[in-house]
Amino acid sequence: MAGKPRVKIPKSVTAGDVITIKTLIKHKMESGQRKDKEGNTIPRDIINKFEASFNGSVVFSADLDPAVSANPYIEFSARVEEAGTFMMKWTDDAGTVTEFSKDIAIKG
Amino acid sequence: MNISRRAWLSTSAAATAAAFFGISGSAIASIEDVEKLISEFGGGATAEAGGPLKLTTPEIAENGNSVPVSVSVESPMTDDDYVESILVMAGDNPSPDIATFHFTPASGVAKASIRMRLAKTQDVFAVAKTNSGKLYKVSNNVKVTIGGCGG
């Protein structure tokens, strides 16, 4: 189960600026490689997809594999031409989607 | 005591990362697996070494469970000329795939960072593909140790 995400986006930018967005979400990212005390393999359970959209259009996405560390940290960029809303989506192996949105304003 | 403290530390660090991955000594990815993934990713095109693609990894990873990795490609990122995807792989993990990043012109710059798991000292590979089908590849060696004096 994914925990609450944390997303760092500037509150406002000059139109046309490229910003860096930092995201973090709590998740064990169980790789499927570990064994429990009885020797049974602990099943894989990871966040396998991350998607960032702005005003409804996808800007960036990532396919994650079990080699991504627990509590996945994903940093990426976006060019902001107008005010609007960023929507982040994390999807896990069970198909559960965690969403987080943040607005951004244009300066001046 | 014949083993140096440094050597013992790096062995137990690898053992910790190995225990997390559940490695018994077999089933580790090979360079052939990496080459196969590159071929699938690039549609068989030949990858140019380096070029505008940069892969940033630490020389020595203090903790194999969380190794920072960054990729970037210098590109205009316009509708006519942009980076579509960058694939990051490990040469000696149980499975070679680490992550694939997908960009659009709205990304502004083709750049992404994550933290990855490395089972042991190995090469990390990045392959980038542009919208016109150009392929670039680069690799870095990352030493994995528990910390302290390093490997």
Side-chain angles (χ1 to χ4, degrees), chain A residues 28-29 33-34 59-63 65-69 73-75 77-79, chain B residues 20-22 65-66 97-100 102 104-107 109 112-117:
Chain A
K28 260 206 293 199
M29 299 293 281
Q33 297 284 335
R34 291 198 310 154
V59 167
F60 168 84
S61 70
D63 303 319
D65 296 294
V68 172
S69 303
Y73 171 77
I74 303 172
E75 186 182 309
S77 298
R79 182 185 290 120
Chain B
F20 186 85
F21 281 103
N65 280 314
S66 184
D97 325 60
I98 298 174
T100 308
H102 302 285
T104 66
S107 300
V109 299
S113 305
I114 57 165
R115 295 186 294 230
M116 61 183 172
R117 292 168 168 150

PDB file of all heavy atoms in Angstrom, chain A residues 28-29 33-34 59-63 65-69 73-75 77-79, chain B residues 20-22 65-66 97-100 102 104-107 109 112-117:
ATOM      1  N   LYS A  28       7.008   0.188   0.204  1.00  0.00           N
ATOM      2  CA  LYS A  28       8.065  -0.801   0.472  1.00  0.00           C
ATOM      3  C   LYS A  28       8.839  -1.209  -0.772  1.00  0.00           C
ATOM      4  O   LYS A  28       9.996  -1.586  -0.675  1.00  0.00           O
ATOM      5  CB  LYS A  28       7.436  -2.075   1.061  1.00  0.00           C
ATOM      6  CG  LYS A  28       7.566  -2.163   2.554  1.00  0.00           C
ATOM      7  CD  LYS A  28       7.542  -3.573   3.076  1.00  0.00           C
ATOM      8  CE  LYS A  28       6.200  -4.234   2.869  1.00  0.00           C
ATOM      9  NZ  LYS A  28       6.005  -5.409   3.732  1.00  0.00           N
ATOM     10  N   MET A  29       8.183  -1.168  -1.941  1.00  0.00           N
ATOM     11  CA  MET A  29       8.807  -1.646  -3.183  1.00  0.00           C
ATOM     12  C   MET A  29       9.389  -3.049  -2.947  1.00  0.00           C
ATOM     13  O   MET A  29      10.604  -3.269  -3.066  1.00  0.00           O
ATOM     14  CB  MET A  29       9.876  -0.671  -3.677  1.00  0.00           C
ATOM     15  CG  MET A  29       9.344   0.722  -4.015  1.00  0.00           C
ATOM     16  SD  MET A  29       8.236   0.771  -5.436  1.00  0.00           S
ATOM     17  CE  MET A  29       9.399   0.719  -6.799  1.00  0.00           C
ATOM     18  N   GLN A  33      12.307 -10.655  -4.594  1.00  0.00           N
ATOM     19  CA  GLN A  33      13.536 -11.446  -4.495  1.00  0.00           C
ATOM     20  C   GLN A  33      13.760 -11.981  -3.083  1.00  0.00           C
ATOM     21  O   GLN A  33      14.547 -12.897  -2.874  1.00  0.00           O
ATOM     22  CB  GLN A  33      14.753 -10.576  -4.869  1.00  0.00           C
ATOM     23  CG  GLN A  33      14.745 -10.070  -6.291  1.00  0.00           C
ATOM     24  CD  GLN A  33      15.125 -11.152  -7.277  1.00  0.00           C
ATOM     25  OE1 GLN A  33      15.815 -12.099  -6.920  1.00  0.00           O
ATOM     26  NE2 GLN A  33      14.662 -11.040  -8.498  1.00  0.00           N
ATOM     27  N   ARG A  34      13.091 -11.359  -2.099  1.00  0.00           N
ATOM     28  CA  ARG A  34      13.375 -11.721  -0.703  1.00  0.00           C
ATOM     29  C   ARG A  34      12.607 -12.976  -0.291  1.00  0.00           C
ATOM     30  O   ARG A  34      11.536 -13.259  -0.829  1.00  0.00           O
ATOM     31  CB  ARG A  34      12.975 -10.574   0.220  1.00  0.00           C
ATOM     32  CG  ARG A  34      13.851  -9.355   0.080  1.00  0.00           C
ATOM     33  CD  ARG A  34      13.716  -8.438   1.276  1.00  0.00           C
ATOM     34  NE  ARG A  34      12.337  -8.134   1.608  1.00  0.00           N
ATOM     35  CZ  ARG A  34      11.931  -7.798   2.826  1.00  0.00           C
ATOM     36  NH1 ARG A  34      12.801  -7.723   3.817  1.00  0.00           N
ATOM     37  NH2 ARG A  34      10.662  -7.503   3.054  1.00  0.00           N
ATOM     38  N   VAL A  59       3.078  15.033 -19.225  1.00  0.00           N
ATOM     39  CA  VAL A  59       4.336  15.753 -19.407  1.00  0.00           C
ATOM     40  C   VAL A  59       5.517  14.786 -19.306  1.00  0.00           C
ATOM     41  O   VAL A  59       6.485  14.863 -20.052  1.00  0.00           O
ATOM     42  CB  VAL A  59       4.465  16.843 -18.317  1.00  0.00           C
ATOM     43  CG1 VAL A  59       5.873  17.403 -18.257  1.00  0.00           C
ATOM     44  CG2 VAL A  59       3.451  17.943 -18.542  1.00  0.00           C
ATOM     45  N   PHE A  60       5.417  13.857 -18.350  1.00  0.00           N
ATOM     46  CA  PHE A  60       6.522  12.945 -18.052  1.00  0.00           C
ATOM     47  C   PHE A  60       5.947  11.691 -17.427  1.00  0.00           C
ATOM     48  O   PHE A  60       4.954  11.761 -16.693  1.00  0.00           O
ATOM     49  CB  PHE A  60       7.481  13.628 -17.077  1.00  0.00           C
ATOM     50  CG  PHE A  60       8.506  12.715 -16.453  1.00  0.00           C
ATOM     51  CD1 PHE A  60       9.693  12.418 -17.115  1.00  0.00           C
ATOM     52  CD2 PHE A  60       8.290  12.144 -15.204  1.00  0.00           C
ATOM     53  CE1 PHE A  60      10.644  11.572 -16.548  1.00  0.00           C
ATOM     54  CE2 PHE A  60       9.230  11.293 -14.628  1.00  0.00           C
ATOM     55  CZ  PHE A  60      10.409  11.017 -15.302  1.00  0.00           C
ATOM     56  N   SER A  61       6.566  10.546 -17.726  1.00  0.00           N
ATOM     57  CA  SER A  61       6.147   9.338 -17.017  1.00  0.00           C
ATOM     58  C   SER A  61       7.350   8.428 -16.833  1.00  0.00           C
ATOM     59  O   SER A  61       8.379   8.595 -17.500  1.00  0.00           O
ATOM     60  CB  SER A  61       5.019   8.610 -17.759  1.00  0.00           C
ATOM     61  OG  SER A  61       5.495   8.026 -18.945  1.00  0.00           O
ATOM     62  N   ALA A  62       7.237   7.497 -15.905  1.00  0.00           N
ATOM     63  CA  ALA A  62       8.326   6.574 -15.641  1.00  0.00           C
ATOM     64  C   ALA A  62       7.763   5.196 -15.377  1.00  0.00           C
ATOM     65  O   ALA A  62       6.775   5.048 -14.657  1.00  0.00           O
ATOM     66  CB  ALA A  62       9.141   7.045 -14.443  1.00  0.00           C
ATOM     67  N   ASP A  63       8.411   4.173 -15.985  1.00  0.00           N
ATOM     68  CA  ASP A  63       8.099   2.778 -15.678  1.00  0.00           C
ATOM     69  C   ASP A  63       9.133   2.339 -14.671  1.00  0.00           C
ATOM     70  O   ASP A  63      10.326   2.448 -14.930  1.00  0.00           O
ATOM     71  CB  ASP A  63       8.207   1.899 -16.938  1.00  0.00           C
ATOM     72  CG  ASP A  63       7.304   2.387 -18.056  1.00  0.00           C
ATOM     73  OD1 ASP A  63       6.167   2.775 -17.761  1.00  0.00           O
ATOM     74  OD2 ASP A  63       7.747   2.378 -19.223  1.00  0.00           O
ATOM     75  N   ASP A  65      10.909  -0.519 -12.085  1.00  0.00           N
ATOM     76  CA  ASP A  65      11.126  -1.944 -11.895  1.00  0.00           C
ATOM     77  C   ASP A  65      11.540  -2.187 -10.443  1.00  0.00           C
ATOM     78  O   ASP A  65      11.820  -1.240  -9.716  1.00  0.00           O
ATOM     79  CB  ASP A  65      12.193  -2.416 -12.891  1.00  0.00           C
ATOM     80  CG  ASP A  65      11.723  -2.268 -14.334  1.00  0.00           C
ATOM     81  OD1 ASP A  65      10.772  -2.970 -14.701  1.00  0.00           O
ATOM     82  OD2 ASP A  65      12.268  -1.427 -15.067  1.00  0.00           O
ATOM     83  N   PRO A  66      11.608  -3.476 -10.018  1.00  0.00           N
ATOM     84  CA  PRO A  66      11.912  -3.760  -8.612  1.00  0.00           C
ATOM     85  C   PRO A  66      13.248  -3.198  -8.124  1.00  0.00           C
ATOM     86  O   PRO A  66      13.470  -3.113  -6.925  1.00  0.00           O
ATOM     87  CB  PRO A  66      11.918  -5.293  -8.562  1.00  0.00           C
ATOM     88  CG  PRO A  66      10.998  -5.700  -9.658  1.00  0.00           C
ATOM     89  CD  PRO A  66      11.199  -4.696 -10.751  1.00  0.00           C
ATOM     90  N   ALA A  67      14.123  -2.808  -9.035  1.00  0.00           N
ATOM     91  CA  ALA A  67      15.408  -2.245  -8.614  1.00  0.00           C
ATOM     92  C   ALA A  67      15.306  -0.789  -8.174  1.00  0.00           C
ATOM     93  O   ALA A  67      16.309  -0.177  -7.820  1.00  0.00           O
ATOM     94  CB  ALA A  67      16.445  -2.369  -9.734  1.00  0.00           C
ATOM     95  N   VAL A  68      14.100  -0.214  -8.197  1.00  0.00           N
ATOM     96  CA  VAL A  68      13.934   1.133  -7.667  1.00  0.00           C
ATOM     97  C   VAL A  68      13.828   1.023  -6.150  1.00  0.00           C
ATOM     98  O   VAL A  68      13.119   0.159  -5.629  1.00  0.00           O
ATOM     99  CB  VAL A  68      12.680   1.814  -8.262  1.00  0.00           C
ATOM    100  CG1 VAL A  68      12.391   3.148  -7.573  1.00  0.00           C
ATOM    101  CG2 VAL A  68      12.862   2.024  -9.761  1.00  0.00           C
ATOM    102  N   SER A  69      14.527   1.893  -5.450  1.00  0.00           N
ATOM    103  CA  SER A  69      14.582   1.821  -3.985  1.00  0.00           C
ATOM    104  C   SER A  69      13.222   2.027  -3.331  1.00  0.00           C
ATOM    105  O   SER A  69      12.330   2.656  -3.910  1.00  0.00           O
ATOM    106  CB  SER A  69      15.524   2.902  -3.441  1.00  0.00           C
ATOM    107  OG  SER A  69      16.804   2.750  -4.004  1.00  0.00           O
ATOM    108  N   TYR A  73      11.767   7.955  -4.952  1.00  0.00           N
ATOM    109  CA  TYR A  73      12.017   9.379  -5.168  1.00  0.00           C
ATOM    110  C   TYR A  73      12.131   9.575  -6.681  1.00  0.00           C
ATOM    111  O   TYR A  73      12.910   8.880  -7.334  1.00  0.00           O
ATOM    112  CB  TYR A  73      13.320   9.782  -4.483  1.00  0.00           C
ATOM    113  CG  TYR A  73      13.777  11.180  -4.818  1.00  0.00           C
ATOM    114  CD1 TYR A  73      13.175  12.285  -4.225  1.00  0.00           C
ATOM    115  CD2 TYR A  73      14.801  11.394  -5.740  1.00  0.00           C
ATOM    116  CE1 TYR A  73      13.592  13.567  -4.543  1.00  0.00           C
ATOM    117  CE2 TYR A  73      15.217  12.671  -6.060  1.00  0.00           C
ATOM    118  CZ  TYR A  73      14.609  13.762  -5.455  1.00  0.00           C
ATOM    119  OH  TYR A  73      15.014  15.032  -5.767  1.00  0.00           O
ATOM    120  N   ILE A  74      11.327  10.448  -7.237  1.00  0.00           N
ATOM    121  CA  ILE A  74      11.394  10.715  -8.678  1.00  0.00           C
ATOM    122  C   ILE A  74      11.472  12.217  -8.888  1.00  0.00           C
ATOM    123  O   ILE A  74      10.605  12.970  -8.421  1.00  0.00           O
ATOM    124  CB  ILE A  74      10.162  10.157  -9.429  1.00  0.00           C
ATOM    125  CG1 ILE A  74      10.025   8.654  -9.181  1.00  0.00           C
ATOM    126  CG2 ILE A  74      10.269  10.436 -10.934  1.00  0.00           C
ATOM    127  CD1 ILE A  74       8.740   8.054  -9.718  1.00  0.00           C
ATOM    128  N   GLU A  75      12.516  12.654  -9.578  1.00  0.00           N
ATOM    129  CA  GLU A  75      12.722  14.072  -9.873  1.00  0.00           C
ATOM    130  C   GLU A  75      12.724  14.246 -11.380  1.00  0.00           C
ATOM    131  O   GLU A  75      13.370  13.468 -12.090  1.00  0.00           O
ATOM    132  CB  GLU A  75      14.064  14.500  -9.285  1.00  0.00           C
ATOM    133  CG  GLU A  75      14.369  15.979  -9.386  1.00  0.00           C
ATOM    134  CD  GLU A  75      15.746  16.302  -8.824  1.00  0.00           C
ATOM    135  OE1 GLU A  75      16.037  15.892  -7.682  1.00  0.00           O
ATOM    136  OE2 GLU A  75      16.527  16.967  -9.522  1.00  0.00           O
ATOM    137  N   SER A  77      11.533  17.271 -14.896  1.00  0.00           N
ATOM    138  CA  SER A  77      11.341  18.674 -15.251  1.00  0.00           C
ATOM    139  C   SER A  77      10.075  18.883 -16.054  1.00  0.00           C
ATOM    140  O   SER A  77       9.551  17.955 -16.665  1.00  0.00           O
ATOM    141  CB  SER A  77      12.534  19.164 -16.087  1.00  0.00           C
ATOM    142  OG  SER A  77      13.716  19.073 -15.349  1.00  0.00           O
ATOM    143  N   ALA A  78       9.599  20.137 -16.056  1.00  0.00           N
ATOM    144  CA  ALA A  78       8.434  20.490 -16.866  1.00  0.00           C
ATOM    145  C   ALA A  78       8.540  21.958 -17.262  1.00  0.00           C
ATOM    146  O   ALA A  78       8.961  22.795 -16.460  1.00  0.00           O
ATOM    147  CB  ALA A  78       7.146  20.254 -16.089  1.00  0.00           C
ATOM    148  N   ARG A  79       8.170  22.237 -18.524  1.00  0.00           N
ATOM    149  CA  ARG A  79       8.128  23.629 -18.967  1.00  0.00           C
ATOM    150  C   ARG A  79       6.707  24.129 -18.715  1.00  0.00           C
ATOM    151  O   ARG A  79       5.745  23.499 -19.148  1.00  0.00           O
ATOM    152  CB  ARG A  79       8.483  23.755 -20.454  1.00  0.00           C
ATOM    153  CG  ARG A  79       8.479  25.206 -20.918  1.00  0.00           C
ATOM    154  CD  ARG A  79       8.696  25.370 -22.402  1.00  0.00           C
ATOM    155  NE  ARG A  79      10.050  25.034 -22.795  1.00  0.00           N
ATOM    156  CZ  ARG A  79      10.353  24.067 -23.664  1.00  0.00           C
ATOM    157  NH1 ARG A  79       9.412  23.362 -24.235  1.00  0.00           N
ATOM    158  NH2 ARG A  79      11.613  23.829 -23.966  1.00  0.00           N
TER     159      ARG A  79
ATOM    160  N   PHE B  20      18.853  -8.727   0.741  1.00  0.00           N
ATOM    161  CA  PHE B  20      17.631  -8.036   0.351  1.00  0.00           C
ATOM    162  C   PHE B  20      17.110  -8.557  -0.966  1.00  0.00           C
ATOM    163  O   PHE B  20      15.929  -8.721  -1.176  1.00  0.00           O
ATOM    164  CB  PHE B  20      17.857  -6.517   0.281  1.00  0.00           C
ATOM    165  CG  PHE B  20      16.585  -5.792   0.015  1.00  0.00           C
ATOM    166  CD1 PHE B  20      15.741  -5.452   1.050  1.00  0.00           C
ATOM    167  CD2 PHE B  20      16.183  -5.505  -1.277  1.00  0.00           C
ATOM    168  CE1 PHE B  20      14.526  -4.812   0.811  1.00  0.00           C
ATOM    169  CE2 PHE B  20      14.978  -4.863  -1.528  1.00  0.00           C
ATOM    170  CZ  PHE B  20      14.156  -4.515  -0.475  1.00  0.00           C
ATOM    171  N   PHE B  21      18.025  -8.783  -1.892  1.00  0.00           N
ATOM    172  CA  PHE B  21      17.620  -9.290  -3.190  1.00  0.00           C
ATOM    173  C   PHE B  21      17.342 -10.785  -3.159  1.00  0.00           C
ATOM    174  O   PHE B  21      16.774 -11.327  -4.094  1.00  0.00           O
ATOM    175  CB  PHE B  21      18.703  -8.997  -4.241  1.00  0.00           C
ATOM    176  CG  PHE B  21      18.682  -7.586  -4.728  1.00  0.00           C
ATOM    177  CD1 PHE B  21      19.598  -6.664  -4.292  1.00  0.00           C
ATOM    178  CD2 PHE B  21      17.717  -7.172  -5.632  1.00  0.00           C
ATOM    179  CE1 PHE B  21      19.575  -5.355  -4.753  1.00  0.00           C
ATOM    180  CE2 PHE B  21      17.687  -5.856  -6.093  1.00  0.00           C
ATOM    181  CZ  PHE B  21      18.617  -4.967  -5.649  1.00  0.00           C
ATOM    182  N   GLY B  22      17.778 -11.476  -2.082  1.00  0.00           N
ATOM    183  CA  GLY B  22      17.560 -12.919  -2.000  1.00  0.00           C
ATOM    184  C   GLY B  22      18.427 -13.692  -2.976  1.00  0.00           C
ATOM    185  O   GLY B  22      18.018 -14.687  -3.535  1.00  0.00           O
ATOM    186  N   ASN B  65      21.166  -0.266  -1.110  1.00  0.00           N
ATOM    187  CA  ASN B  65      19.708  -0.222  -1.174  1.00  0.00           C
ATOM    188  C   ASN B  65      19.181   1.097  -1.724  1.00  0.00           C
ATOM    189  O   ASN B  65      18.009   1.186  -2.097  1.00  0.00           O
ATOM    190  CB  ASN B  65      19.110  -0.428   0.218  1.00  0.00           C
ATOM    191  CG  ASN B  65      19.086  -1.892   0.600  1.00  0.00           C
ATOM    192  OD1 ASN B  65      18.695  -2.733  -0.194  1.00  0.00           O
ATOM    193  ND2 ASN B  65      19.546  -2.201   1.795  1.00  0.00           N
ATOM    194  N   SER B  66      20.009   2.113  -1.767  1.00  0.00           N
ATOM    195  CA  SER B  66      19.532   3.423  -2.213  1.00  0.00           C
ATOM    196  C   SER B  66      20.671   4.191  -2.851  1.00  0.00           C
ATOM    197  O   SER B  66      21.411   4.909  -2.174  1.00  0.00           O
ATOM    198  CB  SER B  66      18.965   4.194  -1.015  1.00  0.00           C
ATOM    199  OG  SER B  66      18.417   5.423  -1.441  1.00  0.00           O
ATOM    200  N   ASP B  97      16.567  -4.561 -15.637  1.00  0.00           N
ATOM    201  CA  ASP B  97      15.788  -3.320 -15.700  1.00  0.00           C
ATOM    202  C   ASP B  97      15.805  -2.558 -14.391  1.00  0.00           C
ATOM    203  O   ASP B  97      15.617  -3.144 -13.334  1.00  0.00           O
ATOM    204  CB  ASP B  97      14.301  -3.594 -15.963  1.00  0.00           C
ATOM    205  CG  ASP B  97      14.054  -4.777 -16.864  1.00  0.00           C
ATOM    206  OD1 ASP B  97      14.473  -5.893 -16.502  1.00  0.00           O
ATOM    207  OD2 ASP B  97      13.423  -4.578 -17.917  1.00  0.00           O
ATOM    208  N   ILE B  98      15.982  -1.248 -14.465  1.00  0.00           N
ATOM    209  CA  ILE B  98      15.839  -0.403 -13.287  1.00  0.00           C
ATOM    210  C   ILE B  98      14.639   0.518 -13.477  1.00  0.00           C
ATOM    211  O   ILE B  98      13.723   0.551 -12.663  1.00  0.00           O
ATOM    212  CB  ILE B  98      17.113   0.419 -13.011  1.00  0.00           C
ATOM    213  CG1 ILE B  98      18.287  -0.529 -12.721  1.00  0.00           C
ATOM    214  CG2 ILE B  98      16.898   1.376 -11.849  1.00  0.00           C
ATOM    215  CD1 ILE B  98      19.631   0.169 -12.564  1.00  0.00           C
ATOM    216  N   ALA B  99      14.646   1.305 -14.546  1.00  0.00           N
ATOM    217  CA  ALA B  99      13.514   2.202 -14.828  1.00  0.00           C
ATOM    218  C   ALA B  99      13.593   2.686 -16.262  1.00  0.00           C
ATOM    219  O   ALA B  99      14.666   2.673 -16.869  1.00  0.00           O
ATOM    220  CB  ALA B  99      13.537   3.403 -13.884  1.00  0.00           C
ATOM    221  N   THR B 100      12.455   3.094 -16.804  1.00  0.00           N
ATOM    222  CA  THR B 100      12.415   3.741 -18.118  1.00  0.00           C
ATOM    223  C   THR B 100      11.676   5.059 -17.951  1.00  0.00           C
ATOM    224  O   THR B 100      10.572   5.085 -17.402  1.00  0.00           O
ATOM    225  CB  THR B 100      11.658   2.871 -19.149  1.00  0.00           C
ATOM    226  OG1 THR B 100      12.205   1.556 -19.148  1.00  0.00           O
ATOM    227  CG2 THR B 100      11.789   3.474 -20.546  1.00  0.00           C
ATOM    228  N   HIS B 102       9.933   8.407 -19.720  1.00  0.00           N
ATOM    229  CA  HIS B 102       9.337   8.859 -20.974  1.00  0.00           C
ATOM    230  C   HIS B 102       9.121  10.362 -20.908  1.00  0.00           C
ATOM    231  O   HIS B 102       8.513  10.861 -19.961  1.00  0.00           O
ATOM    232  CB  HIS B 102       7.986   8.159 -21.194  1.00  0.00           C
ATOM    233  CG  HIS B 102       8.102   6.667 -21.210  1.00  0.00           C
ATOM    234  ND1 HIS B 102       8.627   5.967 -22.268  1.00  0.00           N
ATOM    235  CD2 HIS B 102       7.769   5.746 -20.269  1.00  0.00           C
ATOM    236  CE1 HIS B 102       8.608   4.669 -21.992  1.00  0.00           C
ATOM    237  NE2 HIS B 102       8.098   4.511 -20.781  1.00  0.00           N
ATOM    238  N   THR B 104       8.220  14.273 -22.966  1.00  0.00           N
ATOM    239  CA  THR B 104       7.491  14.936 -24.044  1.00  0.00           C
ATOM    240  C   THR B 104       8.154  16.294 -24.226  1.00  0.00           C
ATOM    241  O   THR B 104       8.935  16.711 -23.358  1.00  0.00           O
ATOM    242  CB  THR B 104       6.018  15.166 -23.657  1.00  0.00           C
ATOM    243  OG1 THR B 104       5.969  16.097 -22.572  1.00  0.00           O
ATOM    244  CG2 THR B 104       5.331  13.870 -23.252  1.00  0.00           C
ATOM    245  N   PRO B 105       7.869  17.015 -25.322  1.00  0.00           N
ATOM    246  CA  PRO B 105       8.427  18.366 -25.437  1.00  0.00           C
ATOM    247  C   PRO B 105       8.100  19.221 -24.199  1.00  0.00           C
ATOM    248  O   PRO B 105       8.900  20.070 -23.789  1.00  0.00           O
ATOM    249  CB  PRO B 105       7.773  18.907 -26.704  1.00  0.00           C
ATOM    250  CG  PRO B 105       7.522  17.692 -27.531  1.00  0.00           C
ATOM    251  CD  PRO B 105       7.156  16.611 -26.552  1.00  0.00           C
ATOM    252  N   ALA B 106       6.938  18.975 -23.584  1.00  0.00           N
ATOM    253  CA  ALA B 106       6.536  19.746 -22.398  1.00  0.00           C
ATOM    254  C   ALA B 106       7.405  19.446 -21.172  1.00  0.00           C
ATOM    255  O   ALA B 106       7.301  20.126 -20.151  1.00  0.00           O
ATOM    256  CB  ALA B 106       5.067  19.477 -22.066  1.00  0.00           C
ATOM    257  N   SER B 107       8.276  18.448 -21.264  1.00  0.00           N
ATOM    258  CA  SER B 107       9.207  18.185 -20.163  1.00  0.00           C
ATOM    259  C   SER B 107      10.196  19.345 -20.033  1.00  0.00           C
ATOM    260  O   SER B 107      10.790  19.541 -18.980  1.00  0.00           O
ATOM    261  CB  SER B 107       9.987  16.883 -20.394  1.00  0.00           C
ATOM    262  OG  SER B 107       9.133  15.776 -20.504  1.00  0.00           O
ATOM    263  N   VAL B 109      13.231  19.900 -20.312  1.00  0.00           N
ATOM    264  CA  VAL B 109      14.548  19.277 -20.440  1.00  0.00           C
ATOM    265  C   VAL B 109      14.372  17.776 -20.223  1.00  0.00           C
ATOM    266  O   VAL B 109      13.515  17.348 -19.453  1.00  0.00           O
ATOM    267  CB  VAL B 109      15.603  19.837 -19.452  1.00  0.00           C
ATOM    268  CG1 VAL B 109      15.833  21.308 -19.672  1.00  0.00           C
ATOM    269  CG2 VAL B 109      15.241  19.556 -18.033  1.00  0.00           C
ATOM    270  N   ALA B 112      15.993  13.228 -15.511  1.00  0.00           N
ATOM    271  CA  ALA B 112      15.247  12.566 -14.444  1.00  0.00           C
ATOM    272  C   ALA B 112      16.219  11.970 -13.439  1.00  0.00           C
ATOM    273  O   ALA B 112      17.351  11.613 -13.797  1.00  0.00           O
ATOM    274  CB  ALA B 112      14.343  11.477 -15.013  1.00  0.00           C
ATOM    275  N   SER B 113      15.781  11.884 -12.196  1.00  0.00           N
ATOM    276  CA  SER B 113      16.607  11.285 -11.138  1.00  0.00           C
ATOM    277  C   SER B 113      15.749  10.375 -10.283  1.00  0.00           C
ATOM    278  O   SER B 113      14.591  10.693  -9.989  1.00  0.00           O
ATOM    279  CB  SER B 113      17.183  12.364 -10.214  1.00  0.00           C
ATOM    280  OG  SER B 113      17.889  13.313 -10.938  1.00  0.00           O
ATOM    281  N   ILE B 114      16.356   9.254  -9.874  1.00  0.00           N
ATOM    282  CA  ILE B 114      15.680   8.357  -8.930  1.00  0.00           C
ATOM    283  C   ILE B 114      16.732   7.782  -8.002  1.00  0.00           C
ATOM    284  O   ILE B 114      17.905   8.153  -8.082  1.00  0.00           O
ATOM    285  CB  ILE B 114      14.954   7.177  -9.638  1.00  0.00           C
ATOM    286  CG1 ILE B 114      15.935   6.377 -10.504  1.00  0.00           C
ATOM    287  CG2 ILE B 114      13.754   7.645 -10.420  1.00  0.00           C
ATOM    288  CD1 ILE B 114      15.387   5.006 -10.922  1.00  0.00           C
ATOM    289  N   ARG B 115      16.325   6.882  -7.125  1.00  0.00           N
ATOM    290  CA  ARG B 115      17.283   6.127  -6.307  1.00  0.00           C
ATOM    291  C   ARG B 115      17.053   4.649  -6.608  1.00  0.00           C
ATOM    292  O   ARG B 115      15.911   4.195  -6.679  1.00  0.00           O
ATOM    293  CB  ARG B 115      17.074   6.445  -4.827  1.00  0.00           C
ATOM    294  CG  ARG B 115      17.410   7.914  -4.533  1.00  0.00           C
ATOM    295  CD  ARG B 115      17.359   8.214  -3.067  1.00  0.00           C
ATOM    296  NE  ARG B 115      16.021   8.111  -2.517  1.00  0.00           N
ATOM    297  CZ  ARG B 115      15.451   9.038  -1.766  1.00  0.00           C
ATOM    298  NH1 ARG B 115      16.097  10.165  -1.522  1.00  0.00           N
ATOM    299  NH2 ARG B 115      14.253   8.848  -1.267  1.00  0.00           N
ATOM    300  N   MET B 116      18.156   3.932  -6.819  1.00  0.00           N
ATOM    301  CA  MET B 116      18.039   2.531  -7.244  1.00  0.00           C
ATOM    302  C   MET B 116      18.731   1.590  -6.270  1.00  0.00           C
ATOM    303  O   MET B 116      19.530   2.006  -5.430  1.00  0.00           O
ATOM    304  CB  MET B 116      18.663   2.367  -8.635  1.00  0.00           C
ATOM    305  CG  MET B 116      20.140   2.711  -8.649  1.00  0.00           C
ATOM    306  SD  MET B 116      20.838   2.587 -10.300  1.00  0.00           S
ATOM    307  CE  MET B 116      22.473   3.291  -9.971  1.00  0.00           C
ATOM    308  N   ARG B 117      18.425   0.306  -6.433  1.00  0.00           N
ATOM    309  CA  ARG B 117      19.065  -0.753  -5.642  1.00  0.00           C
ATOM    310  C   ARG B 117      20.131  -1.413  -6.496  1.00  0.00           C
ATOM    311  O   ARG B 117      19.852  -1.809  -7.635  1.00  0.00           O
ATOM    312  CB  ARG B 117      18.027  -1.819  -5.266  1.00  0.00           C
ATOM    313  CG  ARG B 117      16.994  -1.327  -4.284  1.00  0.00           C
ATOM    314  CD  ARG B 117      15.859  -2.319  -4.209  1.00  0.00           C
ATOM    315  NE  ARG B 117      14.980  -2.024  -3.085  1.00  0.00           N
ATOM    316  CZ  ARG B 117      13.688  -2.281  -3.053  1.00  0.00           C
ATOM    317  NH1 ARG B 117      13.105  -2.868  -4.086  1.00  0.00           N
ATOM    318  NH2 ARG B 117      12.975  -1.973  -1.991  1.00  0.00           N
TER     319      ARG B 117
END
